[in-house]
Amino acid sequence: MVGDDDKTKRTDLEDAALFFHKYPIPGKLEIQSTKPLGNQRDLALAYSPGVAAPCLAIQDEPATAADYTARANLVAVISNGTAVLGLGNIGPLASKPVMEGKAVLFKKFAGIDVFDIEIDAPEIERMVDTISALEPTFGGINLEDIKAPECFEVEERLKARMKIPVFHDDQHGTAIIVAAAILNGLEFASKKIEDIKIVTSGAGAAALACLNLLVSLGAKVENIWVTDRHGVAYKGRVEEMDRWKDPYVKDTNARTLADVIEGTDVFLGLSAAGVLKPELLPLMAEKPLILALANPTPEVMPEVARSVRPDAMICTGRSDFPNQVNNVLCFPYIFRGALDCGASAINEEMKMAAVRAIAALAREEPSDVAARAYSGETPIFGPEFLIPSPFDPRLILRIAPAVAKAACDTGVATRPIADMAAYIDKLNRFVFRSGLVMKPVFSSAKTAISKRVIYADGEDERVLRAAQVLLEDGIAQPILVGRPHVVEVRLKRYGLRIRPGTDFELINPEDDPRYRHYVDLLIELAGRRGITQEAARTLVRTNNTVIAALALKRGEADAMICGLEGRFDRHLRYVTLIIGPREGVRDHDLSTLSMLISQRGVIFLTDTHVSINPTADEIAEMTVLAAEEIRRFGIEPKAALLSYSDFGSRDGETSRKMREAAAILARIAPDLQCDGEMHADSALSENLRQRVFPHSRLEGEANLLVFPNLDAANITLTTVQTMMDALHVGPILLGTDKPAHILTPSVTSRGVVNMTALAVVEAAQRAQATVPPISLGANSDI
């Protein structure tokens, strides 16, 4: 954040977090039925008397619980609250928000259902007895935030007693990511794991799990030196020693980190800020790998380490530096693979399979898939890219199958996956449905150079709140159009820290030195389209959308956002007049794309706001533009042209129009999966579509619904959004010469932030490469 101290920043974040957790209903989880309960027969099947049948089937054959209950996809996240994040021993009740958070990560990243269970059990025996008694309920146990050394004992006993996977993520999740980073760092440095010297700072659960896994991968115990706040783990030391550290104890006179750092190839820090002093760095081996994982401040800051050792490879636990060691890279996908094959444990071989899958993903040759996943900035394996991004959608496709295969190979899979290709295809479909589509967009926006976004509604509370979030997260540099005295009053009223002239630029519509230049430009652009000199002067004083569009046209901003107040078509007129269409698109052919994100997944709809009754040619053009935009999210578009006719079942004006548009698209965009005309249920169900028309050009489930007119599109958008409680991102204006988006009065502050991230990425990509003109073929009338 710009211009305020850390304490104020923390207070603002805490306030936002409390509001987030309390509204609209407390907490982050709820339970939903997966079966329809619409009549008396449904109730009889769900409960008495029908439920007796699966009960007896499970009694006869316990393995069928995976067929008749949710157990095979249900994990318990369990904590006694003794070591919660950086908060320490805050107790089980206070740990509940963290465990709920872990639960939603499981669901979001891997589709796994979770019950968070906080137990009042500080003693080992009580923990083990309580957790082991839960085995009939769950397919796996994720232990969380349990202090060392008790966590080692609890996990060991549970693994011996239970026949389902037990996984302490604080240990093994960190260890898996660390090991993947080390394997890749060693490959880049041309070193072998059996030859390297490893020194740790910190000897807690995570550090020891890292070392144990590295030993499994080939590291030599005699080459590993452990230090903590009491110094080196040496023979005869009594402070904080236990049997878990014993393998790494050395018979040595060395007592401090400085005594053992010389010749170190890998420094593993899981301790405290500033532990690795700059003067120690020259003592390390050539091309050292420094994993400074203390949060929020690492053992050594990357810029400090790099200034002393330019040859160093550096990983941290923070998202604002390259090579973030983040447990979310692995734990959802390890459990996904373990659950899907009915694993009775997560063994060393499964963990090593995950390590190698993560390391291999970072080394993969750059591809179109990778480019889309990282919003166009294709990462290349090297010192700045040893670990994939936590939001890389390919993680689940690499880790879960590798883990499931290792479970099968080692004999712990009770339901081995027979068709691995079909399994991977199933995971691929989940990636689309998971709703993580905005994550790579935000990641790319943070690193973009073209960040100046101008907001026509700069006095609106939603814009002001969004501006503070955007500045704090480094997503955009806001430029607001608004009267200074109004903005100042509202910033104070809403308790916002940001200030004009310091944190953001403010364009005063009543008095701006660029006024005459704006007027001249408007006359130049629109003088032949009904805008007189007097009208131009009035508009530049009174119409904030006109001001924002002129600033964008002059290059004073990289993108614009408007539309929070007033009618959409009024804003569209001025955007079209001033910004205009990009090459190959006509003025009246602009269109919009709306994205809905729900628990079911992500769906795109076009055109929801502009074209009242488009022609077949116009529908073809908007479909091509929409497909281009969808690829920006890393998603391959699959378009369905909707109608009341299902592949010729009825004949009429709109059905013929959609049929003709499908024919145009087949000719001008042969690589686009697209077909029509069809019903919406045929679009969303391949099985149904195959029964109606088995020769369709569309495969799988459509993710782009194209409507015959504005009535159908807008009614569907608002109905589905309300019924499914879906998040609406958009409308995204397509076909403009510069990124310009017109929101609607119902948009929230969160919606403004989402659209800003999209606009920033679009502006950055346009700056990097000229956007090609739209080409719809020689036979088209467009």
Side-chain angles (χ1 to χ4, degrees), residues 716-762:
T716 301
L717 169 67
T718 52
T719 302
V720 172
Q721 180 185 1
T722 303
M723 291 183 66
M724 298 187 68
D725 193 24
L727 171 65
H728 177 213
V729 179
I732 305 165
L733 189 59
L734 305 175
T736 53
D737 189 50
K738 294 175 178 287
H741 298 291
I742 306 167
L743 307 186
T744 61
S746 63
V747 72
T748 63
S749 177
R750 179 187 183 192
V752 175
V753 171
N754 283 336
M755 284 303 301
T756 300
L758 272 176
V760 167
V761 171
E762 182 182 355

Side-chain angles (χ1 to χ4, degrees), residues 85-319:
L85 295 178
L87 305 175
N89 187 354
I90 62 175
L93 181 60
S95 76
K96 190 171 181 64
V98 178
M99 302 312 125
E100 285 190 358
K102 191 80 170 194
V104 298
L105 292 179
F106 267 107
K107 186 67 175 179
K108 203 69 174 173
F109 283 89
I112 295 171
D113 294 316
V114 168
F115 289 156
D116 66 291
I117 300 177
E118 297 74 32
I119 57 177
D120 185 7
E123 307 87 1
I124 292 174
E125 290 292 342
R126 189 173 178 185
M127 280 202 76
V128 172
D129 289 342
T130 302
I131 296 170
S132 62
L134 299 172
E135 183 169 347
T137 302
F138 297 100
I141 303 291
N142 184 92
L143 301 175
E144 193 78 16
D145 292 348
I146 303 168
K147 71 183 181 74
E150 288 89 337
C151 60
F152 301 117
E153 189 76 30
V154 168
E155 185 188 42
E156 184 177 74
R157 294 194 194 182
L158 289 172
K159 290 172 76 171
R161 187 182 297 191
M162 303 179 79
K163 296 180 181 178
I164 58 174
V166 177
F167 187 83
H168 185 205
D169 183 48
D170 297 333
Q171 293 182 55
H172 308 300
T174 301
I176 288 166
I177 309 307
V178 163
I182 289 176
L183 288 187
N184 279 346
L186 295 181
E187 176 164 320
F188 186 79
S190 299
K191 299 178 182 180
K192 296 181 179 180
I193 192 168
E194 60 266 25
D195 298 331
I196 62 169
K197 179 180 180 180
I198 302 170
V199 173
T200 76
S201 173
L208 293 176
C210 290
L211 297 181
N212 293 339
L213 185 56
L214 289 171
V215 170
S216 297
L217 289 165
K220 298 295 177 58
V221 173
E222 56 265 30
N223 294 336
I224 297 174
W225 294 77
V226 171
T227 73
D228 58 17
R229 60 180 177 171
H230 297 290
V232 174
Y234 63 89
K235 188 175 182 179
R237 195 184 106 175
V238 295
E239 297 91 352
E240 294 190 7
M241 296 301 293
D242 52 58
R243 67 185 178 95
W244 311 102
K245 295 176 186 172
D246 285 348
Y248 304 105
V249 168
K250 295 289 188 292
D251 187 359
T252 178
N253 293 323
R255 293 295 182 265
T256 68
L257 176 63
D259 294 336
V260 298
I261 196 68
E262 186 172 359
T264 296
D265 296 284
V266 174
F267 170 82
L268 175 59
L270 285 154
S271 54
V275 168
L276 185 59
K277 305 299 182 185
E279 58 266 26
L280 301 181
L281 297 174
L283 302 176
M284 298 182 71
E286 183 183 359
K287 293 183 180 178
L289 175 57
I290 299 171
L291 296 112
L293 307 183
N295 262 325
T297 306
E299 284 80 1
V300 62
M301 292 299 290
E303 61 269 23
V304 173
R306 198 167 286 109
S307 67
V308 179
R309 290 298 302 264
D311 62 333
M313 295 167 283
I314 305 164
C315 302
T316 71
R318 291 172 39 157
S319 61

